[in-house]
PDB file of all heavy atoms in Angstrom:
ATOM      1  N   ASN A   1     -14.171   8.819  11.122  1.00 85.00           N
ATOM      2  CA  ASN A   1     -13.355  10.039  11.122  1.00 85.00           C
ATOM      3  C   ASN A   1     -11.929   9.756  10.665  1.00 85.00           C
ATOM      4  O   ASN A   1     -11.345  10.538   9.919  1.00 85.00           O
ATOM      5  CB  ASN A   1     -13.347  10.672  12.518  1.00 85.00           C
ATOM      6  CG  ASN A   1     -14.697  11.233  12.897  1.00 85.00           C
ATOM      7  OD1 ASN A   1     -15.535  11.504  12.044  1.00 85.00           O
ATOM      8  ND2 ASN A   1     -14.927  11.373  14.180  1.00 85.00           N
ATOM      9  N   PHE A   2     -11.364   8.622  11.118  1.00 88.00           N
ATOM     10  CA  PHE A   2      -9.990   8.283  10.730  1.00 88.00           C
ATOM     11  C   PHE A   2      -9.883   7.981   9.240  1.00 88.00           C
ATOM     12  O   PHE A   2      -8.957   8.428   8.569  1.00 88.00           O
ATOM     13  CB  PHE A   2      -9.475   7.089  11.541  1.00 88.00           C
ATOM     14  CG  PHE A   2      -8.135   6.602  11.077  1.00 88.00           C
ATOM     15  CD1 PHE A   2      -6.999   7.392  11.243  1.00 88.00           C
ATOM     16  CD2 PHE A   2      -8.001   5.373  10.452  1.00 88.00           C
ATOM     17  CE1 PHE A   2      -5.754   6.961  10.796  1.00 88.00           C
ATOM     18  CE2 PHE A   2      -6.773   4.930  10.008  1.00 88.00           C
ATOM     19  CZ  PHE A   2      -5.646   5.722  10.192  1.00 88.00           C
ATOM     20  N   THR A   3     -10.846   7.222   8.705  1.00 86.00           N
ATOM     21  CA  THR A   3     -10.769   6.846   7.292  1.00 86.00           C
ATOM     22  C   THR A   3     -11.000   8.019   6.351  1.00 86.00           C
ATOM     23  O   THR A   3     -10.679   7.927   5.171  1.00 86.00           O
ATOM     24  CB  THR A   3     -11.758   5.714   6.952  1.00 86.00           C
ATOM     25  OG1 THR A   3     -13.073   6.111   7.335  1.00 86.00           O
ATOM     26  CG2 THR A   3     -11.366   4.435   7.660  1.00 86.00           C
ATOM     27  N   SER A   4     -11.540   9.101   6.866  1.00 86.00           N
ATOM     28  CA  SER A   4     -11.705  10.283   6.012  1.00 86.00           C
ATOM     29  C   SER A   4     -10.566  11.286   6.221  1.00 86.00           C
ATOM     30  O   SER A   4     -10.621  12.395   5.703  1.00 86.00           O
ATOM     31  CB  SER A   4     -13.054  10.949   6.277  1.00 86.00           C
ATOM     32  OG  SER A   4     -13.137  11.369   7.618  1.00 86.00           O
ATOM     33  N   SER A   5      -9.538  10.872   6.942  1.00 89.00           N
ATOM     34  CA  SER A   5      -8.416  11.770   7.232  1.00 89.00           C
ATOM     35  C   SER A   5      -7.310  11.630   6.172  1.00 89.00           C
ATOM     36  O   SER A   5      -7.212  10.610   5.492  1.00 89.00           O
ATOM     37  CB  SER A   5      -7.825  11.461   8.611  1.00 89.00           C
ATOM     38  OG  SER A   5      -7.129  10.233   8.568  1.00 89.00           O
ATOM     39  N   PRO A   6      -6.475  12.652   6.056  1.00 92.00           N
ATOM     40  CA  PRO A   6      -5.331  12.572   5.133  1.00 92.00           C
ATOM     41  C   PRO A   6      -4.358  11.447   5.512  1.00 92.00           C
ATOM     42  O   PRO A   6      -3.769  10.827   4.630  1.00 92.00           O
ATOM     43  CB  PRO A   6      -4.653  13.932   5.266  1.00 92.00           C
ATOM     44  CG  PRO A   6      -5.704  14.845   5.798  1.00 92.00           C
ATOM     45  CD  PRO A   6      -6.604  13.989   6.637  1.00 92.00           C
ATOM     46  N   ALA A   7      -4.219  11.161   6.799  1.00 92.00           N
ATOM     47  CA  ALA A   7      -3.304  10.099   7.229  1.00 92.00           C
ATOM     48  C   ALA A   7      -3.727   8.750   6.652  1.00 92.00           C
ATOM     49  O   ALA A   7      -2.883   7.963   6.201  1.00 92.00           O
ATOM     50  CB  ALA A   7      -3.255  10.036   8.749  1.00 92.00           C
ATOM     51  N   PHE A   8      -5.025   8.477   6.645  1.00 90.00           N
ATOM     52  CA  PHE A   8      -5.492   7.209   6.094  1.00 90.00           C
ATOM     53  C   PHE A   8      -5.306   7.176   4.583  1.00 90.00           C
ATOM     54  O   PHE A   8      -4.990   6.122   4.020  1.00 90.00           O
ATOM     55  CB  PHE A   8      -6.950   6.958   6.465  1.00 90.00           C
ATOM     56  CG  PHE A   8      -7.436   5.602   6.031  1.00 90.00           C
ATOM     57  CD1 PHE A   8      -7.034   4.475   6.728  1.00 90.00           C
ATOM     58  CD2 PHE A   8      -8.266   5.462   4.941  1.00 90.00           C
ATOM     59  CE1 PHE A   8      -7.461   3.213   6.335  1.00 90.00           C
ATOM     60  CE2 PHE A   8      -8.695   4.212   4.545  1.00 90.00           C
ATOM     61  CZ  PHE A   8      -8.297   3.083   5.234  1.00 90.00           C
ATOM     62  N   SER A   9      -5.500   8.304   3.924  1.00 90.00           N
ATOM     63  CA  SER A   9      -5.266   8.361   2.480  1.00 90.00           C
ATOM     64  C   SER A   9      -3.813   8.045   2.158  1.00 90.00           C
ATOM     65  O   SER A   9      -3.523   7.301   1.214  1.00 90.00           O
ATOM     66  CB  SER A   9      -5.641   9.743   1.936  1.00 90.00           C
ATOM     67  OG  SER A   9      -7.018   9.969   2.097  1.00 90.00           O
ATOM     68  N   VAL A  10      -2.902   8.585   2.946  1.00 93.00           N
ATOM     69  CA  VAL A  10      -1.480   8.293   2.755  1.00 93.00           C
ATOM     70  C   VAL A  10      -1.215   6.809   2.982  1.00 93.00           C
ATOM     71  O   VAL A  10      -0.484   6.170   2.214  1.00 93.00           O
ATOM     72  CB  VAL A  10      -0.614   9.172   3.697  1.00 93.00           C
ATOM     73  CG1 VAL A  10       0.830   8.699   3.720  1.00 93.00           C
ATOM     74  CG2 VAL A  10      -0.702  10.627   3.277  1.00 93.00           C
ATOM     75  N   PHE A  11      -1.821   6.239   4.023  1.00 91.00           N
ATOM     76  CA  PHE A  11      -1.667   4.808   4.297  1.00 91.00           C
ATOM     77  C   PHE A  11      -2.131   3.982   3.100  1.00 91.00           C
ATOM     78  O   PHE A  11      -1.452   3.022   2.696  1.00 91.00           O
ATOM     79  CB  PHE A  11      -2.451   4.423   5.554  1.00 91.00           C
ATOM     80  CG  PHE A  11      -2.566   2.943   5.757  1.00 91.00           C
ATOM     81  CD1 PHE A  11      -1.480   2.206   6.204  1.00 91.00           C
ATOM     82  CD2 PHE A  11      -3.757   2.281   5.496  1.00 91.00           C
ATOM     83  CE1 PHE A  11      -1.579   0.828   6.385  1.00 91.00           C
ATOM     84  CE2 PHE A  11      -3.879   0.918   5.680  1.00 91.00           C
ATOM     85  CZ  PHE A  11      -2.780   0.187   6.124  1.00 91.00           C
ATOM     86  N   CYS A  12      -3.278   4.326   2.516  1.00 89.00           N
ATOM     87  CA  CYS A  12      -3.801   3.582   1.369  1.00 89.00           C
ATOM     88  C   CYS A  12      -2.879   3.704   0.161  1.00 89.00           C
ATOM     89  O   CYS A  12      -2.637   2.717  -0.549  1.00 89.00           O
ATOM     90  CB  CYS A  12      -5.210   4.063   1.022  1.00 89.00           C
ATOM     91  SG  CYS A  12      -6.436   3.554   2.232  1.00 89.00           S
ATOM     92  N   VAL A  13      -2.366   4.905  -0.075  1.00 92.00           N
ATOM     93  CA  VAL A  13      -1.435   5.095  -1.198  1.00 92.00           C
ATOM     94  C   VAL A  13      -0.184   4.254  -0.980  1.00 92.00           C
ATOM     95  O   VAL A  13       0.316   3.605  -1.913  1.00 92.00           O
ATOM     96  CB  VAL A  13      -1.086   6.594  -1.372  1.00 92.00           C
ATOM     97  CG1 VAL A  13       0.082   6.775  -2.321  1.00 92.00           C
ATOM     98  CG2 VAL A  13      -2.307   7.359  -1.866  1.00 92.00           C
ATOM     99  N   LEU A  14       0.337   4.231   0.247  1.00 92.00           N
ATOM    100  CA  LEU A  14       1.517   3.419   0.545  1.00 92.00           C
ATOM    101  C   LEU A  14       1.228   1.929   0.386  1.00 92.00           C
ATOM    102  O   LEU A  14       2.075   1.175  -0.100  1.00 92.00           O
ATOM    103  CB  LEU A  14       2.021   3.710   1.961  1.00 92.00           C
ATOM    104  CG  LEU A  14       2.628   5.095   2.175  1.00 92.00           C
ATOM    105  CD1 LEU A  14       2.974   5.295   3.652  1.00 92.00           C
ATOM    106  CD2 LEU A  14       3.856   5.286   1.298  1.00 92.00           C
ATOM    107  N   LEU A  15       0.039   1.503   0.769  1.00 90.00           N
ATOM    108  CA  LEU A  15      -0.337   0.098   0.610  1.00 90.00           C
ATOM    109  C   LEU A  15      -0.417  -0.293  -0.856  1.00 90.00           C
ATOM    110  O   LEU A  15       0.102  -1.347  -1.256  1.00 90.00           O
ATOM    111  CB  LEU A  15      -1.671  -0.162   1.314  1.00 90.00           C
ATOM    112  CG  LEU A  15      -2.107  -1.610   1.477  1.00 90.00           C
ATOM    113  CD1 LEU A  15      -1.059  -2.404   2.259  1.00 90.00           C
ATOM    114  CD2 LEU A  15      -3.447  -1.669   2.188  1.00 90.00           C
ATOM    115  N   VAL A  16      -1.011   0.559  -1.662  1.00 90.00           N
ATOM    116  CA  VAL A  16      -1.080   0.295  -3.104  1.00 90.00           C
ATOM    117  C   VAL A  16       0.319   0.323  -3.710  1.00 90.00           C
ATOM    118  O   VAL A  16       0.672  -0.524  -4.553  1.00 90.00           O
ATOM    119  CB  VAL A  16      -2.018   1.302  -3.804  1.00 90.00           C
ATOM    120  CG1 VAL A  16      -1.915   1.191  -5.313  1.00 90.00           C
ATOM    121  CG2 VAL A  16      -3.453   1.089  -3.343  1.00 90.00           C
ATOM    122  N   ALA A  17       1.139   1.276  -3.274  1.00 92.00           N
ATOM    123  CA  ALA A  17       2.525   1.323  -3.765  1.00 92.00           C
ATOM    124  C   ALA A  17       3.272   0.051  -3.374  1.00 92.00           C
ATOM    125  O   ALA A  17       4.081  -0.468  -4.155  1.00 92.00           O
ATOM    126  CB  ALA A  17       3.236   2.551  -3.201  1.00 92.00           C
ATOM    127  N   GLY A  18       2.998  -0.464  -2.176  1.00 89.00           N
ATOM    128  CA  GLY A  18       3.614  -1.719  -1.745  1.00 89.00           C
ATOM    129  C   GLY A  18       3.236  -2.873  -2.649  1.00 89.00           C
ATOM    130  O   GLY A  18       4.077  -3.714  -2.976  1.00 89.00           O
ATOM    131  N   VAL A  19       1.982  -2.925  -3.059  1.00 89.00           N
ATOM    132  CA  VAL A  19       1.536  -3.973  -3.980  1.00 89.00           C
ATOM    133  C   VAL A  19       2.305  -3.871  -5.290  1.00 89.00           C
ATOM    134  O   VAL A  19       2.799  -4.869  -5.822  1.00 89.00           O
ATOM    135  CB  VAL A  19       0.013  -3.871  -4.231  1.00 89.00           C
ATOM    136  CG1 VAL A  19      -0.418  -4.779  -5.366  1.00 89.00           C
ATOM    137  CG2 VAL A  19      -0.756  -4.204  -2.976  1.00 89.00           C
ATOM    138  N   VAL A  20       2.418  -2.657  -5.809  1.00 91.00           N
ATOM    139  CA  VAL A  20       3.126  -2.446  -7.079  1.00 91.00           C
ATOM    140  C   VAL A  20       4.596  -2.852  -6.934  1.00 91.00           C
ATOM    141  O   VAL A  20       5.148  -3.558  -7.793  1.00 91.00           O
ATOM    142  CB  VAL A  20       2.994  -0.976  -7.537  1.00 91.00           C
ATOM    143  CG1 VAL A  20       3.891  -0.692  -8.728  1.00 91.00           C
ATOM    144  CG2 VAL A  20       1.542  -0.659  -7.863  1.00 91.00           C
ATOM    145  N   VAL A  21       5.234  -2.424  -5.862  1.00 91.00           N
ATOM    146  CA  VAL A  21       6.655  -2.740  -5.647  1.00 91.00           C
ATOM    147  C   VAL A  21       6.866  -4.240  -5.552  1.00 91.00           C
ATOM    148  O   VAL A  21       7.804  -4.790  -6.152  1.00 91.00           O
ATOM    149  CB  VAL A  21       7.180  -2.021  -4.377  1.00 91.00           C
ATOM    150  CG1 VAL A  21       8.527  -2.571  -3.951  1.00 91.00           C
ATOM    151  CG2 VAL A  21       7.266  -0.527  -4.626  1.00 91.00           C
ATOM    152  N   VAL A  22       6.013  -4.912  -4.794  1.00 90.00           N
ATOM    153  CA  VAL A  22       6.154  -6.365  -4.642  1.00 90.00           C
ATOM    154  C   VAL A  22       6.052  -7.068  -5.984  1.00 90.00           C
ATOM    155  O   VAL A  22       6.815  -7.990  -6.280  1.00 90.00           O
ATOM    156  CB  VAL A  22       5.099  -6.901  -3.638  1.00 90.00           C
ATOM    157  CG1 VAL A  22       4.960  -8.404  -3.729  1.00 90.00           C
ATOM    158  CG2 VAL A  22       5.465  -6.486  -2.226  1.00 90.00           C
ATOM    159  N   HIS A  23       5.138  -6.620  -6.840  1.00 89.00           N
ATOM    160  CA  HIS A  23       4.967  -7.263  -8.148  1.00 89.00           C
ATOM    161  C   HIS A  23       6.077  -6.879  -9.122  1.00 89.00           C
ATOM    162  O   HIS A  23       6.532  -7.726  -9.897  1.00 89.00           O
ATOM    163  CB  HIS A  23       3.588  -6.936  -8.732  1.00 89.00           C
ATOM    164  CG  HIS A  23       2.487  -7.700  -8.077  1.00 89.00           C
ATOM    165  ND1 HIS A  23       2.291  -9.047  -8.263  1.00 89.00           N
ATOM    166  CD2 HIS A  23       1.525  -7.323  -7.195  1.00 89.00           C
ATOM    167  CE1 HIS A  23       1.259  -9.452  -7.558  1.00 89.00           C
ATOM    168  NE2 HIS A  23       0.778  -8.411  -6.890  1.00 89.00           N
ATOM    169  N   VAL A  24       6.502  -5.629  -9.085  1.00 92.00           N
ATOM    170  CA  VAL A  24       7.561  -5.185 -10.004  1.00 92.00           C
ATOM    171  C   VAL A  24       8.893  -5.860  -9.670  1.00 92.00           C
ATOM    172  O   VAL A  24       9.639  -6.260 -10.573  1.00 92.00           O
ATOM    173  CB  VAL A  24       7.701  -3.637  -9.970  1.00 92.00           C
ATOM    174  CG1 VAL A  24       8.964  -3.174 -10.665  1.00 92.00           C
ATOM    175  CG2 VAL A  24       6.481  -2.994 -10.609  1.00 92.00           C
ATOM    176  N   LEU A  25       9.184  -6.014  -8.395  1.00 91.00           N
ATOM    177  CA  LEU A  25      10.454  -6.629  -7.978  1.00 91.00           C
ATOM    178  C   LEU A  25      10.387  -8.157  -7.997  1.00 91.00           C
ATOM    179  O   LEU A  25      11.387  -8.814  -7.717  1.00 91.00           O
ATOM    180  CB  LEU A  25      10.841  -6.145  -6.577  1.00 91.00           C
ATOM    181  CG  LEU A  25      11.148  -4.663  -6.442  1.00 91.00           C
ATOM    182  CD1 LEU A  25      11.499  -4.321  -4.998  1.00 91.00           C
ATOM    183  CD2 LEU A  25      12.274  -4.247  -7.372  1.00 91.00           C
ATOM    184  N   HIS A  26       9.239  -8.717  -8.334  1.00 89.00           N
ATOM    185  CA  HIS A  26       9.055 -10.171  -8.388  1.00 89.00           C
ATOM    186  C   HIS A  26       9.515 -10.826  -7.095  1.00 89.00           C
ATOM    187  O   HIS A  26      10.250 -11.811  -7.094  1.00 89.00           O
ATOM    188  CB  HIS A  26       9.791 -10.787  -9.586  1.00 89.00           C
ATOM    189  CG  HIS A  26       9.357 -10.228 -10.900  1.00 89.00           C
ATOM    190  ND1 HIS A  26       8.107 -10.473 -11.428  1.00 89.00           N
ATOM    191  CD2 HIS A  26       9.988  -9.411 -11.782  1.00 89.00           C
ATOM    192  CE1 HIS A  26       7.991  -9.857 -12.578  1.00 89.00           C
ATOM    193  NE2 HIS A  26       9.117  -9.194 -12.825  1.00 89.00           N
ATOM    194  N   LEU A  27       9.068 -10.252  -5.981  1.00 88.00           N
ATOM    195  CA  LEU A  27       9.410 -10.806  -4.676  1.00 88.00           C
ATOM    196  C   LEU A  27       8.707 -12.147  -4.477  1.00 88.00           C
ATOM    197  O   LEU A  27       7.832 -12.537  -5.245  1.00 88.00           O
ATOM    198  CB  LEU A  27       9.023  -9.826  -3.562  1.00 88.00           C
ATOM    199  CG  LEU A  27       9.807  -8.515  -3.523  1.00 88.00           C
ATOM    200  CD1 LEU A  27       9.325  -7.651  -2.380  1.00 88.00           C
ATOM    201  CD2 LEU A  27      11.303  -8.760  -3.408  1.00 88.00           C
ATOM    202  N   ASP A  28       9.097 -12.831  -3.424  1.00 90.00           N
ATOM    203  CA  ASP A  28       8.556 -14.141  -3.102  1.00 90.00           C
ATOM    204  C   ASP A  28       7.031 -14.087  -3.013  1.00 90.00           C
ATOM    205  O   ASP A  28       6.443 -13.063  -2.655  1.00 90.00           O
ATOM    206  CB  ASP A  28       9.151 -14.597  -1.763  1.00 90.00           C
ATOM    207  CG  ASP A  28       8.820 -16.041  -1.457  1.00 90.00           C
ATOM    208  OD1 ASP A  28       8.740 -16.847  -2.410  1.00 90.00           O
ATOM    209  OD2 ASP A  28       8.627 -16.353  -0.270  1.00 90.00           O
ATOM    210  N   VAL A  29       6.412 -15.198  -3.319  1.00 91.00           N
ATOM    211  CA  VAL A  29       4.951 -15.284  -3.315  1.00 91.00           C
ATOM    212  C   VAL A  29       4.385 -14.976  -1.919  1.00 91.00           C
ATOM    213  O   VAL A  29       3.295 -14.414  -1.803  1.00 91.00           O
ATOM    214  CB  VAL A  29       4.500 -16.689  -3.788  1.00 91.00           C
ATOM    215  CG1 VAL A  29       3.006 -16.870  -3.642  1.00 91.00           C
ATOM    216  CG2 VAL A  29       4.923 -16.930  -5.213  1.00 91.00           C
ATOM    217  N   SER A  30       5.122 -15.301  -0.889  1.00 92.00           N
ATOM    218  CA  SER A  30       4.622 -15.022   0.460  1.00 92.00           C
ATOM    219  C   SER A  30       4.445 -13.515   0.679  1.00 92.00           C
ATOM    220  O   SER A  30       3.514 -13.090   1.356  1.00 92.00           O
ATOM    221  CB  SER A  30       5.555 -15.611   1.520  1.00 92.00           C
ATOM    222  OG  SER A  30       6.837 -15.031   1.426  1.00 92.00           O
TER     223      SER A  30
END
């Protein structure tokens, strides 16, 4: 039920955005 909710969709979008930001800003490998 949680994974089919809008809140989880927002969490996934934020997680993917975090991946993009980390790579674009060339942050530390950690």
